[in-house]
């Protein structure tokens, strides 16, 4: 009997025993994670949730992808990988982390130049360690002491795998890294893949796009120094035609808030590979002897049940693993923000008046936006001077904060600490503190320049002003903004070959400030904002409790923005304000109830000018906020079902959120523009307990006359609901509660 046969038999016996004890069922239901190495077949295997991921060491010593898909039986063995070496490339093997060298032509994960001009890098397996749900694999170049430590951590609940790499220079010379990915993800060869991704612009973020994966490469990226509105570091790839509820989908997101790139390529053998990490455009990170560079983390998962489940897995993962308060993030308080009401025209009296009105409708957090500091009257001056403007706030912030607290709310403040207006004391004192290229114009955007956060003295300044603000005032929340992209990204104070470190060091310092502030002020919560949704990614979400989704607060446009947002990010972090009508952005007029229902699908905020509201508006708002508080846990932490997408010019849209224990759910239905009074089609709920009985009651609007008040989950899902909606921009929402099992 050979050892392999024996091992297989033992594995089968173990699997059988597990089934007998009820601890394991079929692959789909499998729970928990395991990481193993099969020394006979030289195969690593990571199992988690409903997913198995496997790769091995091929006959050349490279790490080669083997399998990523539905969870396999514990007893299954994967055959030893064979290096592939035909077609027009010398090396076509789908490597886990290919260096550029040895004849690879596909997108490399790592490309380097040595001082002697050598640029060949061939990475072979050296060793590995397994610890709990994590695997570490060390690779080394075939002749030079460049080491790569790959890290894999499998999440037992979702099957989402976290991958990153650390590049270590153990040679005695400097090495220039020109391309550094966090991971390469391979899919089995095929011609029937398509991908979805999120593109957009300011005021129109998170628009879902799709494209067939053909031979060649699709590039998603940001070159702007920050995450960007233009593209979000997320992908989803379907095989065949997946739908919201069905089909194979591989998806992933990169945790990096600087310039990033994700490429999706189909090579000449029809192998598909996703590579993502630092954007290699204008990149160059010089590693001194003994130095190392750690990449961001690239998270990815798989499901057989469509795009809806892919999103829900991401949401669960983010809530449980990514957010600063994970695994049990506090619910986002209902906030009021003064920006759209006052713009820069803030002062103590005006803010107090708004605070009184906000508290009367049930707001829990009052946030003062731009305009409170330095000589800030408009966007021409003041950024960089983070002292309280004495004309606007003669008593400092203290008296406003006391007032806000006396009204039962906590206090939040807007800051944009990475920026400086040339018209500021800070810039007059330190004109060299900005990102710039010597002798070149400093291109301004919104009349501001970007401070070079990579410089230690700038980092200290930014940390100290914020720390002082937080120490001297009872501030519970910072809305941290960033209102421009980088230009002339130079760093003249360091040697020319060190200047491009900016792309990494800036972001690492940004993260470290957020982390240190949180450590020193443990009750502090943070919102990441960048002229709307320009800095939303899993990197900043380690430090920010929520994000500003878009400056476009039109409730109808928001349906589309929110729909796209939820493909990658949990509604639990998606800030959505109710603002004035007609909307400032597009002049569209909608009812207050419609605006509330649009915003109640995320984390609710109010951004309207309460001074212009009627008694009826206050009454509506009070009722809506109170209803929101009864559903916020389900909306923010439940399972989201995009029942009808607002995309593709559809005339209706609907979402549903279901509590994790399925005891309650809430459904939102929107009619965009009715013609000929055609009735609104039935909406079929998802994710309820089929056999349980649920009651239904409206938050707003009603079901058509003859609808039952209680029915089974099967009824609500199979028969559906008929919302009685009419005209333009009408909406309704319904709460379902389990009354018996
Ligand atoms: C950005 C933000 C807005 C507001 C303004 C203030 O545009 O996205 O919400 O804070 O800055 O200047």
């Amino acid at each position: 009997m050979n050892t392999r046969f024996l091992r297989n038999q033992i594995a089968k016996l173990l699997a059988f025993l597990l089934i007998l004890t009820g601890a394991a069922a079929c692959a789909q239901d499998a729970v928990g994670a395991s990481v193993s190495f099969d020394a006979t077949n030289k195969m690593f295997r990571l199992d988690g949730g409903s997913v198995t991921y496997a790769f091995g060491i091929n006959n050349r010593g490279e790490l080669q992808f083997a399998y990523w898909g539905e969870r396999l039986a514990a007893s299954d063995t994967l055959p030893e990988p064979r290096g592939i070496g035909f077609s027009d490339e010398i090396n076509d093997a789908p490597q886990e982390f290919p260096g550029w060298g040895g004849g690879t032509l596909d997108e490399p994960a790592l490309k380097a130049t040595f001082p002697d001009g050598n640029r060949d890098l061939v990475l072979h397996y050296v060793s590995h360690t397994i610890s709990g749900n994590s695997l570490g694999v060390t690779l080394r170049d075939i002749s030079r002491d460049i080491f790569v430590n790959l890290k894999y951590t499998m999440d037992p609940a979702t099957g989402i795998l976290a991958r990153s790499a650390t590049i270590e220079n153990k040679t005695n010379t400097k090495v220039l890294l020109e391309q550094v990915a966090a991971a390469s993800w391979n899919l089995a060869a095929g011609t029937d893949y398509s991908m979805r991704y999120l593109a957009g612009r300011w005021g129109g973020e998170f628009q879902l796009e799709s494209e067939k994966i053909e031979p060649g490469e699709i590039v998603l990226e940001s070159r702007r120094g920050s995450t960007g509105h233009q593209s979000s570091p997320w992908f989803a790839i379907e095989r065949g035609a997946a739908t919201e509820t069905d089909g194979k989908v591989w998806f992933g997101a990169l945790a990096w808030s600087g310039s990033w790139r994700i490429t999706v390529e189909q090579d000449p053998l029809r192998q598909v590979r996703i590579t993502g990490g630092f954007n290699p455009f204008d990149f160059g990170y010089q590693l001194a002897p003994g130095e190392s560079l750690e990449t961001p983390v690239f998270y990815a998962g798989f499901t057989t049940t469509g795009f809806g489940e892919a999103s829900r897995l991401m949401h669960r993962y983010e809530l449980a693993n990514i957010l600063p308060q994970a695994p049990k993030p506090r619910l986002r308080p209902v906030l009021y923000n003064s920006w759209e009401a006052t713009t820069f025209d803030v002062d103590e009296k005006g803010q107090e008046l708004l605070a009184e009105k906000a508290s009367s409708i049930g707001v829990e957090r009052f946030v003062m936006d731009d305009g409170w500091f330095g000589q800030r009257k408009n966007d021409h001056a003041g950024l960089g001077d983070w002292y309280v403007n004495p004309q606007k706030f003669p008593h400092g912030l203290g008296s406003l904060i006391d007032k806000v607290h006396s009204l039962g709310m906590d206090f939040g403040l807007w800051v944009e600490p990475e920026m400086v207006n040339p018209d500021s004391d800070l810039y007059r004192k330190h004109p060299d503190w900005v990102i710039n290229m010597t002798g070149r114009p400093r291109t301004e955007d919104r009349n501001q320049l970007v401070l070079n956060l990579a410089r230690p003295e700038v980092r200290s300044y930014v940390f100290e002003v914020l720390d002082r603000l937080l120490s001297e005032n009872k501030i519970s929340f910072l809305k941290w903004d960033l209102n421009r992209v980088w230009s002339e990204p130079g760093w003249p104070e360091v040697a020319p070959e060190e200047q491009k470190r900016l792309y990494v060091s800036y972001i690492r310092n940004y993260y470290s400030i957020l982390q240190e502030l949180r450590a020193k002020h443990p009750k502090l919560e943070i919102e990441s904002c960048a002229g709307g949704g320009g800095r939303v990614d899993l990197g900043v979400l380690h430090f920010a409790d929520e994000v500003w989704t878009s400056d476009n607060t039109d409730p109808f446009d928001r349906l589309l923005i929110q729909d796209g947002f939820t493909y990658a990010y949990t509604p639990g972090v998606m800030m959505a304000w109710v603002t004035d009508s007609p909307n400032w952005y597009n002049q569209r007029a909608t009812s207050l109830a419609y605006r509330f229902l649009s915003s109640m699908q995320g984390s609710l905020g109010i951004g309207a000018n309460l001074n212009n509201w009627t008694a009826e508006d206050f009454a509506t708002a009070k009722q809506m906020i109170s209803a929101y508080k009864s559903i916020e846990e389900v909306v923010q932490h439940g399972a989201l079902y995009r029942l009808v997408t607002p995309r593709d010019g559809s005339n209706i849209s609907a979402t549903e959120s279901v509590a994790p224990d399925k005891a309650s759910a809430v459904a939102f239905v929107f009619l965009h523009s009715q013609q000929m009074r055609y009735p609104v089609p039935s909406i079929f709920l998802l994710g309820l307990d089929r056999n349980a009985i649920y009651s239904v009651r409206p938050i707003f609007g009603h079901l058509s006359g003859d609808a039952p008040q209680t029915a089974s989950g099967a009824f609500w899902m199979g028969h559906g609901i008929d919302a009685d909606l009419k005209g333009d921009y009408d909406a309704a929402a319904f709460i379902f509660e389990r009354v018996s099992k």
Side-chain angles (χ1 to χ4, degrees), residues 330 332-337 358 362-367 404 408-412 476-477 523 525-526 546:
R330 188 176 157 237
R332 303 292 76 230
V334 176
L335 67 72
Y336 178 79
N337 179 295
V363 164
E364 297 159 309
R365 168 171 289 167
F366 182 84
V367 184
V404 166
M409 301 179 290
D410 71 24
F411 181 78
S476 312
F477 171 82
K523 294 213 169 108
E525 294 190 339
I526 295 172
E546 60 189 57

Side-chain angles (χ1 to χ4, degrees), residues 37-83:
F37 180 60
D38 167 356
T40 311
N41 287 347
K42 298 189 190 130
M43 184 63 61
F44 296 98
R45 177 170 162 173
L46 300 102
D47 296 278
S50 304
V51 179
T52 295
Y53 185 91
F55 61 95
I57 306 164
N58 70 18
N59 50 357
R60 285 195 290 260
E62 300 153 352
L63 289 189
Q64 183 174 324
F65 165 75
Y67 177 81
W68 185 20
E70 236 174 309
R71 190 164 179 155
L72 303 175
S75 55
D76 289 333
T77 48
L78 287 137
E80 186 177 345
R82 301 271 163 219

Side-chain angles (χ1 to χ4, degrees), residues 202 205 229 337 339-340 343-344 368-371 373 376 378-379 383 414-416 446 448 479 481-483 527 529-534 548-553 577 584:
W202 173 79
E205 298 88 335
H229 307 72
N337 179 295
W339 173 246
E340 287 196 26
T343 64
F344 301 94
M368 177 160 67
D369 211 280
D370 201 348
F373 54 91
R376 187 80 165 164
N378 48 43
D379 62 16
L383 286 174
W414 179 94
V415 288
E416 195 181 1
R446 213 193 187 207
Q448 61 198 58
K479 175 181 172 186
D481 210 339
L482 166 105
N483 274 310
E527 177 176 298
C529 171
W548 181 224
T549 316
S550 178
D551 280 347
N552 181 352
T553 51
W577 299 349
W584 76 275

Side-chain angles (χ1 to χ4, degrees), residues 530-551:
R535 190 151 62 186
V536 180
D537 58 76
L538 298 196
V540 73
L541 281 173
H542 274 297
F543 308 102
D545 307 86
E546 60 189 57
V547 295
W548 181 224
T549 316
S550 178
D551 280 347

